[in-house]
């Protein structure tokens, strides 16, 4: 079985517990205006033209983003860091893009990791039918689930899809008592509003089993250069990155409601 990925990040510390190797899958059904990996959205490898200015001269380059890899080839890569993963309580995180778009490849990769006692996490939007999510839930050790916005209209406006399926899948995962960390991107004036935070807390408190933790992800404008290089529209071109301190109040609200909270991934 082959899949299409666009990167393997080693020694990652923000994609789950311990030291991790993160595999970035190609393809995403969402179109978040703040996406940090816009080159991941197309499910196929794409040739990206980049330009840079040096001493008044423009240099252009073309780079392929995405490549095919088999589960066996991927596993050889993953094993290179297994000793660090084991010693730090880490593992492999399958991220993207949206890994559930390549669910068969994902399932095989998860099974391969399980066979070798390598712990796994799936970083997902959960925007997929339950028949796709459930088999993955039976193989992965942890889900990192994005909760982008509680209001269906706002969710549709800023990500291109409704949140109905996502919320339903979070409830179903919780009913199965699958370990879930919720990741909330804090996007200025979109998700860090009083109303959205209150609704997130109410929704999470009503789940059948408590989530492991809530990660508040401060908005960063670090993808600004990438948008420029790849000639993409950047909705947040003038928005400064958020400071951790700006999220202390929100962290307190979640903590008061009984959640373990981390600022950052
Ligand atoms: S879900 Fe993630 S990868 Fe997909 S568009 Fe949104 S931010 Fe980008």
């Amino acid at each position: 079985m082959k899949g299409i990925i666009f990167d393997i990040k080693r020694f990652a510390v923000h994609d789950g517990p311990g030291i991790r190797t993160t595999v970035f899958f190609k393809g995403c059904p969402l179109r978040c205006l703040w996406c940090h990996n816009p080159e991941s959205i197309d499910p196929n490898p794409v040739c990206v033209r980049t330009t840079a200015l040096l001493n008044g001269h423009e240099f252009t380059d073309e780079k392929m983003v995405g490549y095919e890899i088999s589960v066996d080839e991927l596993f050889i890569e993953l094993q290179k860091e297994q000793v660090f993963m084991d010693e730090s309580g880490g593992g492999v995180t399958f991220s993207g893009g949206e890994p559930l778009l390549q669910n068969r490849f994902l399932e095989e990769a998860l099974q391969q990791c399980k066979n070798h006692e390598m712990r796994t996490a799936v970083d997902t939007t959960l925007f997929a039918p339950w028949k796709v999510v459930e088999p993955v839930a039976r193989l992965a050790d942890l889900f990192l689930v994005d909760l982008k916005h509680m209001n269906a209209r706002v969710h549709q406006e800023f990500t291109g899809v409704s949140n109905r399926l996502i919320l339903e899948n979070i409830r179903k995962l919780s009913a199965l008592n699958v370990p879930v960390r919720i990741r909330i991107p804090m996007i200025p004036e979109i998700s860090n509003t009083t109303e959205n935070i209150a609704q997130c807390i109410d929704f999470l408190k009503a789940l059948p089993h408590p989530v492991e933790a809530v990660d508040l992800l401060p908005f960063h404008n670090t993808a600004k250069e990438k948008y420029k290089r790849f000639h993409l529209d950047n909705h947040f071109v003038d928005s400064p990155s958020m400071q951790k301190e700006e999220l202390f109040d929100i962290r307190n609200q979640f903590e008061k409601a009984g959640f373990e909270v981390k600022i950052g991934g």
Side-chain angles (χ1 to χ4, degrees), residues 28 30-32 35 40-41 96-97 125 148:
C28 185
L30 273 63
R31 298 289 181 269
C32 306
C35 184
S40 72
I41 289 174
T125 66
K148 294 175 192 287

Side-chain angles (χ1 to χ4, degrees), residues 27-42 96-98 123-127 145-149 154-163 166 183-187 190-191 217 219-220 223 227 232-236:
C28 185
L30 273 63
R31 298 289 181 269
C32 306
L33 286 184
W34 53 84
C35 184
H36 274 199
N37 292 323
E39 73 278 27
S40 72
I41 289 174
D42 191 313
E98 171 50 71
D123 181 8
T124 172
T125 66
L126 282 187
F127 186 75
V145 179
D146 293 356
L147 183 56
K148 294 175 192 287
H149 208 286
V154 178
H155 198 282
Q156 176 85 44
E157 183 181 346
F158 289 99
T159 72
V161 303
S162 161
N163 61 3
I166 294 167
R183 291 152 76 86
I184 310 180
M186 290 284 111
I187 310 300
I190 298 175
S191 52
L217 310 179
F219 171 79
H220 285 300
Y227 274 80
L232 300 166
D233 285 340
N234 184 357
H235 186 83
F236 294 95

